[in-house]
Amino acid sequence: MLGSRSVISRALVASLPSCARSALPVASSLAVRHLSTRRRRRGQTGTPAVNSNSSGDHATSTSEMRAAINRPVKVTDMLQFVIAAQDFLDKIEDALEPMKKHNEVFIITREASKLTVTLRPGDGEYSLEIYEDSHSIMMQTPLSGKFGYCLSASTSEWVNEEDGHSLEGMLVRDMIRQCNGFPECL
């Protein structure tokens, strides 16, 4: 198809007077096809898998399939979890400490299993709390709300229990949108 278009174009060009030919673009650009760009939205290609439940008649949605794929495998060893959780809260506390001098109100409170950052009145409070019974850390922010995170056995990172997003990423994203400065060493 493209070859026949370029032959016709060359034939038309050859039939034009020489003064008209000099005003045309070079021959190599005549064969260029302009294609419209097409965007694909995530999750709309392919067919959903069938859920193998007892009734066997329900299809699993694409978002459910994606969540199941991204769902992390939790660390189940209690000692490993407790050490990693305490180390993480220590790391966050150290990273947030320099932000105190850049914000009017930025109060960091640390308890045994909880870290709280209080901002100006009306801006809210950030909290990270360790729950040993469920091997998770719950983070609540004024912008994103409350999410549960577990220590991933494969990556040793704190990730969301439902879709696998990073605790550090969510915390930093909310902090830089609401506070002055940037958490160091995260």
Side-chain angles (χ1 to χ4, degrees):
M1 182 88 142
L2 181 62
S4 64
R5 290 176 110 186
S6 61
V7 170
I8 294 169
S9 298
R10 286 188 187 120
L12 282 171
V13 170
S15 67
L16 293 173
S18 62
C19 62
R21 269 188 262 161
S22 63
L24 291 174
V26 292
S28 63
S29 66
L30 289 175
V32 175
R33 280 180 43 193
H34 296 283
L35 301 174
S36 62
T37 57
R38 205 171 109 189
R39 290 185 156 183
R40 269 190 238 162
R41 292 187 181 184
R42 282 193 243 168
Q44 291 189 354
T45 59
T47 58
V50 175
N51 188 4
S52 59
N53 58 13
S54 59
S55 63
D57 59 340
H58 296 295
T60 303
S61 72
T62 305
S63 60
E64 288 171 340
M65 285 177 14
R66 188 177 300 123
I69 291 170
N70 292 336
R71 190 164 287 136
V73 177
K74 282 185 178 184
V75 167
T76 55
D77 179 31
M78 181 60 85
L79 180 61
Q80 183 183 2
F81 167 78
V82 170
I83 290 171
Q86 291 296 330
D87 287 348
F88 183 74
L89 289 188
D90 291 341
K91 175 184 168 183
I92 297 296
E93 183 178 15
D94 291 343
L96 296 177
E97 194 67 36
M99 290 179 68
K100 283 183 174 181
K101 62 185 173 193
H102 300 291
N103 294 278
E104 294 173 26
V105 178
F106 197 88
I107 302 165
I108 301 172
T109 308
R110 175 70 189 270
E111 297 170 13
S113 63
K114 187 173 183 177
L115 175 71
T116 306
V117 178
T118 307
L119 304 176
R120 290 183 306 221
D123 282 351
E125 180 176 274
Y126 289 77
S127 70
L128 294 160
E129 189 168 1
I130 300 171
Y131 289 94
E132 291 180 12
D133 56 337
S134 62
H135 290 146
S136 64
I137 292 180
M138 295 300 286
M139 178 178 76
Q140 184 161 359
T141 73
L143 298 177
S144 296
K146 192 171 189 175
F147 287 96
Y149 297 89
C150 66
L151 182 62
S152 171
S154 59
T155 63
S156 297
E157 289 184 64
W158 292 95
V159 293
N160 182 261
E161 297 169 338
E162 297 299 318
D163 65 8
H165 72 264
S166 167
L167 187 155
E168 288 181 24
M170 180 75 83
L171 178 64
V172 169
R173 184 196 76 176
D174 285 2
M175 283 270 180
I176 62 175
R177 288 171 64 196
Q178 197 170 24
C179 303
N180 295 321
F182 187 82
E184 291 184 3
C185 302
L186 277 182

